[in-house]
Amino acid sequence: MKPDCPFQRLLKAHLMTVTNENCNLRIDKFLSDFLNISRHKVQSAIAQEWVSVNGQPIKSNYKVQPKDAIIAHIPTATEAATLTPEAIPLDIVYEDDHLLVVHKPAQMVIHPDTTHQTGTLAHALLHRYKNLPLKDDMPTRPGLVHRIDKDTSGLLVVAKTAESLANLSRQFYNHTVKRMYYTLVWGNPENGCGTIDLNIGKSRRHHQKMVAFPDPEQGKRAVTHYQVIKPLHQVALVACRLETGRTHQIRVHMQQIGHPVFGDAQYGGDVIVKGQRYTSYKAFIHNCFKLMPYQALHAAVLGFNHPVTGAPLSFEAALPENFVKLIEKWEKYNTARMDHVAQDKTFDQTSLPLFQ
């Protein structure tokens, strides 16, 4: 099927075959997950009969079946946005002819949006590399396979060739990429470890926020495995391993179980959640927020198979300096609180176990 569209050059064709794992999903949800685009965009394409299954147009509520051959023509950006390369330093952890792994600092935006038009990782990549492949044919996303939030620090993989971009994107889609984060959360999660399996989707009230849905027909499935690494009385250092990678996943999931990420203004972590409201405690928390004025979340481990050789690759990124100092501050506060002499010990992150 070829769409009857005067702007056919702006449509990108996607061909895919349904596996047993994905059978009986609504096709709009299947394509939204598979192509990492909005469900609304998929439904619009279906309404225009730009999506076919086994050569026939279908409706959005069609349930995909094993071996279904799907062709989806999805509109790309109608205008080619241009970026001006910027000489922004990059902390490159690994690089070869096919990819690079970058350690992104907190407060750096991945690519331009309505409020950040300069200073992004995309601008920095364009300054260093001239021919990066474009994610979803979007000029604002050169080589970008995945994203992490602006105020989250840590590791990202960037593709240098179209082959690598396609292969790495498929690894993320199949949930075979290893991702482990460290986060400081309010309180101490029950039992010290667990799994959160709740769908995540956009909030109907607040466009910039995500929410957890118990209904499997709403949002996208999101699974987070967590383990307490270091209890610190009113807070805890927690390792989170992602089975899926949804927008704001850890932040939404930890808020949902009553342990919002420390300092997270969007999901309730920037106020006192645990502890008495004594003046001295309020002052201590204020100083903690001043030390780290955004969510305490760090993408520490990233592992995947090399897109060309197939060799397993794994990378680790040390906690940022202010994150380390934040943990040290809580250690000293708790030591003093227990009527012991506060020790000027340094938090040793090299002793942190890696959550498997």
Side-chain angles (χ1 to χ4, degrees), residues 224-338:
T224 304
H225 307 281
Y226 68 86
Q227 178 178 318
V228 175
I229 300 298
K230 191 176 186 65
L232 292 165
H233 190 55
Q234 305 294 2
V235 296
L237 181 63
V238 175
C240 292
R241 179 170 60 82
L242 296 184
E243 188 172 316
T244 59
R246 308 305 180 195
T247 301
H248 300 177
Q249 178 170 319
I250 292 173
R251 299 163 64 192
V252 172
H253 273 174
M254 297 312 294
Q255 179 198 40
Q256 188 68 21
I257 65 170
H259 300 282
V261 172
F262 189 86
D264 188 349
Q266 206 163 15
Y267 296 101
D270 64 336
V271 295
I272 296 176
V273 177
K274 301 289 183 180
Q276 300 298 321
R277 270 59 170 179
Y278 298 126
T279 301
S280 60
Y281 183 65
K282 287 182 179 180
F284 168 73
I285 297 299
H286 172 78
N287 288 332
C288 286
F289 288 153
K290 188 175 180 180
L291 176 62
M292 197 168 190
Y294 40 81
Q295 68 256 17
L297 185 60
H298 175 68
V301 176
L302 179 64
F304 52 87
N305 292 331
H306 193 281
V308 176
T309 69
L313 300 175
S314 185
F315 305 95
E316 299 175 21
L319 289 170
E321 182 180 0
N322 63 338
F323 203 145
V324 173
K325 288 183 177 180
L326 179 64
I327 296 170
E328 290 176 344
K329 197 172 185 68
W330 273 101
E331 286 181 328
K332 292 176 182 179
Y333 177 84
N334 288 327
T335 301
R337 178 181 170 278
M338 291 186 291

Side-chain angles (χ1 to χ4, degrees), residues 52-344:
S52 68
V53 176
N54 303 322
Q56 298 297 322
I58 40 73
K59 294 184 178 180
S60 293
N61 62 357
Y62 173 78
K63 301 289 184 68
V64 298
Q65 300 301 314
K67 298 184 180 181
D68 272 352
I70 301 172
I71 301 177
H73 293 83
I74 305 297
T76 60
T78 57
E79 294 184 24
T82 58
L83 296 184
T84 301
E86 297 179 31
I88 302 170
L90 291 175
D91 182 0
I92 297 176
V93 177
Y94 171 86
E95 182 174 8
D96 62 24
D97 291 339
H98 310 282
L99 62 93
L100 65 144
V101 175
V102 179
H103 185 177
K104 183 192 83 70
Q107 299 192 297
M108 173 183 267
V109 177
I110 299 298
H111 57 72
D113 57 26
T114 55
T115 56
H116 303 90
Q117 296 296 319
T118 61
T120 73
L121 177 62
H123 288 88
L125 289 170
L126 285 177
H127 182 267
R128 188 179 179 97
Y129 307 98
K130 305 305 179 187
N131 297 301
L132 293 177
L134 302 180
K135 177 73 171 179
D136 295 331
D137 288 338
M138 297 181 68
T140 56
R141 302 189 183 186
L144 297 177
V145 181
H146 62 127
R147 294 175 289 176
I148 58 178
D149 298 336
K150 166 181 173 282
D151 289 329
T152 298
S153 57
L155 298 172
L156 292 113
V157 59
V158 178
K160 295 173 73 174
T161 68
E163 178 186 12
S164 295
L165 180 61
N167 183 285
L168 290 167
S169 296
R170 180 54 56 89
Q171 290 187 53
F172 274 88
Y173 176 77
N174 290 332
H175 309 314
T176 58
V177 177
K178 179 181 179 182
R179 283 170 290 174
M180 197 277 288
Y181 289 66
Y182 285 126
T183 182
L184 193 72
V185 303
W186 281 103
N188 284 277
E190 189 176 358
N191 300 323
C193 63
T195 296
I196 307 168
D197 187 346
L198 286 171
N199 285 19
I200 289 177
K202 283 189 176 182
S203 168
R204 295 185 179 91
R205 294 184 177 181
H206 306 285
H207 179 67
Q208 299 298 324
K209 292 184 67 174
M210 310 297 286
V211 294
F213 293 105
D215 183 351
E217 286 295 317
Q218 294 182 284
K220 297 179 181 180
R221 188 172 184 233
V223 181
T224 304
H225 307 281
Y226 68 86
Q227 178 178 318
V228 175
I229 300 298
K230 191 176 186 65
L232 292 165
H233 190 55
Q234 305 294 2
V235 296
L237 181 63
V238 175
C240 292
R241 179 170 60 82
L242 296 184
E243 188 172 316
T244 59
R246 308 305 180 195
T247 301
H248 300 177
Q249 178 170 319
I250 292 173
R251 299 163 64 192
V252 172
H253 273 174
M254 297 312 294
Q255 179 198 40
Q256 188 68 21
I257 65 170
H259 300 282
V261 172
F262 189 86
D264 188 349
Q266 206 163 15
Y267 296 101
D270 64 336
V271 295
I272 296 176
V273 177
K274 301 289 183 180
Q276 300 298 321
R277 270 59 170 179
Y278 298 126
T279 301
S280 60
Y281 183 65
K282 287 182 179 180
F284 168 73
I285 297 299
H286 172 78
N287 288 332
C288 286
F289 288 153
K290 188 175 180 180
L291 176 62
M292 197 168 190
Y294 40 81
Q295 68 256 17
L297 185 60
H298 175 68
V301 176
L302 179 64
F304 52 87
N305 292 331
H306 193 281
V308 176
T309 69
L313 300 175
S314 185
F315 305 95
E316 299 175 21
L319 289 170
E321 182 180 0
N322 63 338
F323 203 145
V324 173
K325 288 183 177 180
L326 179 64
I327 296 170
E328 290 176 344
K329 197 172 185 68
W330 273 101
E331 286 181 328
K332 292 176 182 179
Y333 177 84
N334 288 327
T335 301
R337 178 181 170 278
M338 291 186 291
D339 297 324
H340 294 299
V341 177
Q343 301 294 320
D344 290 330

